Amino acid sequence: MPTFSTARTEIAGQPIADLVKSFGTPLYVYDIAVVQERIADLAAFDRIRYAQKACSNLAILDRMRRTGVVVDAVSAGEIRRAIAAGFSPDAAKHEIVYTADIFDRDALDLVVEHSMNVNCGSPDMITQLGERRPGAEVTLRINPGFGHGHSQKTNTGGEQSKHGIWHEQIDECLRRADQSRITITGLHMHIGSGTDLEHLSEVCEAMERTALSVGRTLKTISAGGGLPVPYKSDESYVDLAKYFELWDATRNRLGEAFGHRLDLEIEPGRYLSAESGSLIAEVRSVKKAGNNVFVLVRCRIQ
Ligand SMILES: *Cc1c(COP(=O)(O)O)cnc(C)c1O
């Protein structure tokens, strides 16, 4: 159970008063030890790919990189941030994957220039990449036809979601890949934040079914992100050992079917960084307006 203390005087061993004296407020402070603990929690996975939209602070990205974590990038801007933090765009190293539902022109240029890994969220991306880089290897982001999220906004599976390739379009993807001499080497399912274990076995079954229809070219499967972070005192973490067990069993069954081992990747965002961050602010006024309470803090830009 996480603790939600009300009277903290230190962050990462630093007195808050000293931090305020040195840097002023508002101030974001990150405790890298928390990030490192979360990374260690996921050591059973072959690869931890951080979804940098959770916090793309360059110093944090750099420290994660030194611990062996790799990143995803959902835009040209995130590709540039990842490179600035020291990640290699070289596809052979698998350090940055461009994962999106479309290619912005900027992003396609960068992907081609650096021969980067691409995780395609629509069949058109296969063809568009094939025109510029025939012979490339790609992974596909699959929408299995159902989703799970703590709100409509974070539910990234099912008919209402624009994310990923609809599960009935795999044949079309295989045809497009053949036409462009593209090889599909991995599958990825990220269907919503807040995944729970009852739901997870369905996700794993959908992954297995889809992987069998793609076949032996597959070398990786990715469990996506969505590992819950407790936001309130009655919420808790997912049982990571069980979570891994379900995915590991799926990976092993596929490995037997294909005659080679598959890598198992996980793609958390908030899980790695959310609890490392604190915002220090100076409260200047607390006031009520009907049922709402507003806490007004000092702003640096006057
Ligand atoms: C946001 C995102 C994640 C991570 O989601 P969390 O809920 O923060 O773990 C993973 N993959 C992709 C493609 C995302 O957009």
Side-chain angles (χ1 to χ4, degrees):
M1 262 301 166
T3 54
F4 294 84
S5 57
T6 46
R8 262 176 94 179
T9 55
E10 285 189 351
I11 297 171
Q14 307 284 319
I16 291 173
D18 291 358
L19 292 169
V20 170
K21 227 178 268 160
S22 306
F23 302 104
T25 64
L27 176 67
Y28 283 101
V29 181
Y30 299 97
D31 183 350
I32 199 69
V34 175
V35 176
Q36 273 152 357
E37 268 172 43
R38 297 296 176 268
I39 293 170
D41 290 346
L42 303 176
F45 290 84
D46 294 307
R47 218 178 279 130
I48 305 171
R49 185 171 301 285
Y50 177 55
Q52 60 171 299
K53 76 168 182 289
C55 175
S56 56
N57 178 299
L58 286 179
I60 291 193
L61 290 179
D62 175 55
R63 298 292 281 269
M64 285 185 174
R65 181 179 62 78
R66 291 162 196 252
T67 318
V69 170
V70 293
V71 278
D72 82 353
V74 302
S75 62
E78 285 195 357
I79 293 173
R80 292 197 190 93
R81 278 194 93 80
I83 293 172
F87 291 96
S88 165
D90 181 353
K93 296 188 177 161
H94 298 281
E95 290 182 17
I96 309 175
V97 168
Y98 175 71
T99 180
D101 299 292
I102 55 163
F103 279 118
D104 293 331
R105 287 182 197 284
D106 264 19
L108 183 55
D109 287 346
L110 275 172
V111 158
V112 170
E113 177 192 337
H114 295 293
S115 302
M116 290 176 57
N117 292 122
V118 177
N119 185 29
C120 301
S122 56
D124 292 307
M125 286 178 73
I126 300 172
T127 311
Q128 287 161 3
L129 183 66
E131 284 164 5
R132 302 274 300 270
R133 227 176 79 210
E137 297 189 345
V138 299
T139 59
L140 304 183
R141 175 175 181 173
I142 305 297
N143 177 343
F146 56 88
H148 191 81
H150 54 70
S151 73
Q152 183 61 33
K153 217 174 157 192
T154 58
N155 190 347
T156 52
E159 266 184 18
Q160 305 297 329
S161 172
K162 66 180 180 293
H163 294 295
I165 290 168
W166 188 246
H167 59 113
E168 289 168 339
Q169 280 194 306
I170 298 301
D171 280 348
E172 183 189 337
C173 290
L174 289 168
R175 262 196 310 278
R176 282 175 186 253
D178 275 352
Q179 282 160 4
S180 303
R181 293 198 298 110
I182 278 188
T183 311
I184 299 168
T185 57
L187 292 184
H188 167 275
M189 261 181 210
H190 171 66
I191 61 164
S193 302
T195 305
D196 61 50
L197 285 174
E198 295 91 89
H199 174 71
L200 189 63
S201 51
E202 275 177 62
V203 181
C204 288
E205 276 165 31
M207 173 64 90
E208 192 171 340
R209 224 175 16 248
T210 314
L212 289 171
S213 71
V214 173
R216 298 188 63 251
T217 55
L218 293 179
K219 298 188 266 194
T220 330
I221 55 169
S222 170
L227 288 179
V229 173
Y231 289 167
K232 296 182 182 149
S233 53
D234 62 344
E235 294 175 354
S236 62
Y237 301 100
V238 72
D239 181 341
L240 277 176
K242 289 229 173 71
Y243 184 95
F244 175 76
E245 212 177 275
L246 280 166
W247 277 111
D248 188 41
T250 306
R251 174 263 294 276
N252 288 337
R253 281 195 298 275
L254 287 170
E256 269 169 39
F258 296 155
H260 61 252
R261 190 189 140 84
L262 280 88
D263 280 345
L264 176 59
E265 204 171 287
I266 188 163
E267 194 174 77
R270 296 165 304 141
Y271 185 77
L272 296 189
S273 56
E275 292 164 289
S276 74
S278 304
L279 170 63
I280 305 176
E282 182 186 335
V283 176
R284 301 295 297 164
S285 173
V286 180
K287 57 183 191 177
K288 280 192 83 169
N291 289 322
N292 292 319
V293 177
F294 290 96
V295 177
L296 306 185
V297 300
R298 174 176 177 267
C299 176
R300 201 191 294 262
I301 303 152
Q302 302 291 339

